[in-house]
Amino acid sequence: MPATVTVSVVGRSYEIACDEGQEDRIRKLAADIDKRASDLLKSVGAVGEARILFMTALLIADELADLRTTLDRERSVSAQSDTSVAEGVTALARKVDAIAERLESA
């Protein structure tokens, strides 16, 4: 059965439906949005509710885009590292095989 949680963002209450057990997570997420929107209001002054929420959403989207870029970069570096390790192991295996062949023929 879905749950409902009431949150407040910039002084306005919103009822949000969520899966049961997700209420605390929704409250924490809403608190983050409220803090960001309140901080933004302090810096830009009084603007309409829709505008401040849109500006907050843009800030969050920008942060998310930066995180995705960083994650993609780290995945790329990790994949390159994995390839380098695999190539090193292959080269080492070849050397061991060559040594074994020399020992067998000696």
Side-chain angles (χ1 to χ4, degrees):
M1 178 167 186
T4 302
V5 63
T6 302
V7 297
S8 178
V9 176
V10 199
R12 181 160 178 182
S13 293
Y14 297 91
E15 279 195 26
I16 306 295
C18 62
D19 291 335
E20 199 164 320
Q22 293 296 310
E23 298 90 347
D24 285 340
R25 180 169 172 77
I26 297 298
R27 284 186 195 99
K28 288 177 185 174
L29 293 171
D32 181 51
I33 292 169
D34 182 52
K35 177 165 180 8
R36 291 170 187 250
S38 296
D39 290 348
L40 193 56
L41 269 173
K42 289 175 188 171
S43 68
V44 298
V47 295
E49 177 184 319
R51 186 175 189 92
I52 198 67
L53 291 178
F54 178 70
M55 291 169 69
T56 302
L58 282 175
L59 290 173
I60 293 169
D62 182 52
E63 185 177 319
L64 179 60
D66 288 346
L67 289 171
R68 284 180 175 154
T69 299
T70 300
L71 180 60
D72 288 345
R73 190 176 310 123
E74 288 179 7
R75 283 180 177 161
S76 176
V77 167
S78 178
Q80 290 172 359
S81 295
D82 290 348
T83 300
S84 295
V85 168
E87 289 171 353
V89 169
T90 300
L92 185 58
R94 286 184 188 131
K95 289 178 183 180
V96 168
D97 286 343
I99 291 170
E101 285 178 24
R102 278 189 249 143
L103 289 173
E104 286 176 5
S105 62

